[in-house]
């Protein structure tokens, strides 16, 4: 079975602070993919990143960075110098073999980030 | 130009009815998806589909069926609607199926079953 845990249900930060959103996953598969998605208050879904299990290099894209650590089964997401526009629900997801004959995409429950001006 | 579009944006219907949600992408992608987001914001993949393969999440009731008239369209047909089907349904597309490449989402369709 596979599972994605986003332990932080809600986070509030003041604008310009850095914030890290945690994601811990469980899978028995050795080949898998991890994702982050953003859902702003307007409701649309935005794909942010995909990372495969063989690439542990951290990635940076502007103010966003991702820290993938296989040893702790974590794929954390950091926003540097947060802005009000970063306010959204962020979902972490795992694509791996489900053990029932197919691959499956499993989402965490999301972390709601509020950036206060 | 809208990359992934869905119609209708809102759909209110009675229990027991059959309804369809349309999805179109103009990105030239080979793969399309349907996701469901319930009232608690839980997201679930329902289907992924390209010209060669339909992958169904085994938890999806067979009242739900994707229909693809061509590569640019993946419609979602729902039979015998139930109260629990009320949710926001998102369509998405990506260049290929393999490992769920970068996906582009439609704006969502809010389905309310009364």
């Amino acid at each position: 079975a596979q599972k994605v845990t986003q332990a932080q249900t809600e986070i509030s930060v003041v604008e310009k602070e850095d914030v890290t959103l945690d994601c811990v996953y469980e899978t028995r598969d050795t080949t898998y993919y991890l994702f982050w998605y953003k859902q702003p208050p307007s409701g649309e879904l935005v794909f942010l990143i995909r990372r495969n299990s063989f690439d542990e290099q951290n990635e940076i894209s502007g103010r966003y960075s991702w820290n993938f650590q296989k040893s702790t089964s974590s794929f954390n997401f950091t926003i540097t110098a947060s802005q009000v526009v970063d306010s959204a629900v962020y979902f972490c997801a795992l694509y791996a073999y489900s053990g029932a004959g197919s691959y499956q995409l499993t989402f965490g429950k999301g972390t709601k980030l509020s950036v206060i001006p | 130009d809208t990359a992934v579009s869905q119609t209708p944006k809102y759909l209110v219907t009675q229990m027991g009815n059959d309804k369809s949600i349309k999805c179109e992408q103009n990105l030239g992608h080979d793969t399309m998806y349907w996701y469901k987001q319930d009232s608690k914001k839980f997201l679930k993949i329902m289907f992924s589909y390209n010209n060669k393969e339909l992958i169904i999440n085994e938890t999806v009731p067979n009242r739900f069926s994707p229909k693809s008239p061509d590569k640019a369209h993946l419609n979602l047909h729902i039979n015998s609607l139930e109260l629990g089907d009320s949710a926001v349904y998102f369509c998405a597309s990506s260049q290929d199926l393999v490992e769920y490449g970068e996906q582009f989402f439609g704006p969502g369709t809010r389905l309310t079953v009364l």
Side-chain angles (χ1 to χ4, degrees):
Chain A
Q2 55 196 50
K3 187 178 175 183
V4 177
T5 302
Q6 295 180 254
Q8 304 147 309
T9 306
E10 292 192 40
I11 302 176
S12 289
V13 298
V14 177
E15 203 171 18
K16 297 185 184 176
E17 286 184 346
D18 299 347
V19 59
T20 295
L21 309 182
D22 298 333
C23 175
V24 174
Y25 61 92
E26 294 176 28
T27 179
R28 293 180 182 173
D29 206 354
T30 54
T31 302
Y32 52 88
Y33 294 80
L34 295 161
F35 303 80
W36 277 95
Y37 299 83
K38 175 182 179 181
Q39 187 171 39
S42 52
E44 73 268 26
L45 277 168
V46 180
F47 172 99
L48 294 178
I49 190 172
R50 178 191 71 174
R51 174 54 52 87
N52 76 54
S53 54
F54 297 108
D55 182 3
E56 287 195 70
Q57 234 180 347
N58 290 333
E59 182 153 345
I60 298 174
S61 176
R63 296 184 296 106
Y64 294 172
S65 62
W66 290 270
N67 183 358
F68 176 30
Q69 294 200 336
K70 285 178 81 167
S71 60
T72 55
S73 296
S74 65
F75 187 44
N76 296 338
F77 173 31
T78 297
I79 302 175
T80 304
S82 59
Q83 299 176 3
V84 173
V85 293
D86 297 326
S87 296
V89 179
Y90 291 87
F91 293 95
C92 180
L94 165 70
Y95 179 74
Y97 185 64
S98 69
S102 66
Y103 282 80
Q104 187 171 311
L105 182 66
T106 302
F107 285 87
K109 294 182 179 179
T111 297
K112 182 178 180 181
L113 173 65
S114 298
V115 181
I116 304 163
Chain B
D1 280 348
T2 304
V4 182
S5 59
Q6 295 178 229
T7 53
K9 190 169 182 180
Y10 300 96
L11 181 55
V12 181
T13 188
Q14 298 288 330
M15 228 169 33
N17 284 350
D18 301 340
K19 289 293 178 186
S20 292
I21 305 172
K22 295 185 178 180
C23 178
E24 177 181 1
Q25 54 96 1
N26 62 7
L27 297 165
H29 287 167
D30 288 333
T31 305
M32 297 182 74
Y33 311 81
W34 278 104
Y35 292 78
K36 178 182 179 181
Q37 186 172 40
D38 66 21
S39 58
K40 294 183 180 177
K41 301 289 189 184
F42 296 157
L43 267 170
K44 182 173 78 171
I45 181 81
M46 301 177 71
F47 305 100
S48 58
Y49 181 81
N50 68 9
N51 287 334
K52 301 172 187 174
E53 191 174 9
L54 170 65
I55 298 176
I56 302 171
N57 184 325
E58 63 257 19
T59 66
V60 175
N62 57 16
R63 299 181 294 103
F64 289 80
S65 57
K67 298 187 191 303
S68 180
D70 55 57
K71 199 171 82 165
H73 297 83
L74 184 66
N75 304 325
L76 181 65
H77 190 75
I78 315 168
N79 289 329
S80 303
L81 278 156
E82 300 177 358
L83 294 177
D85 298 333
S86 295
V88 179
Y89 292 84
F90 289 97
C91 177
S93 73
S94 66
Q95 181 58 51
D96 54 49
L97 175 63
V98 177
E99 302 96 20
Y100 283 68
E102 181 179 3
Q103 298 151 59
F104 295 81
F105 287 86
T109 295
R110 183 174 293 278
L111 171 66
T112 303
V113 182
L114 304 175

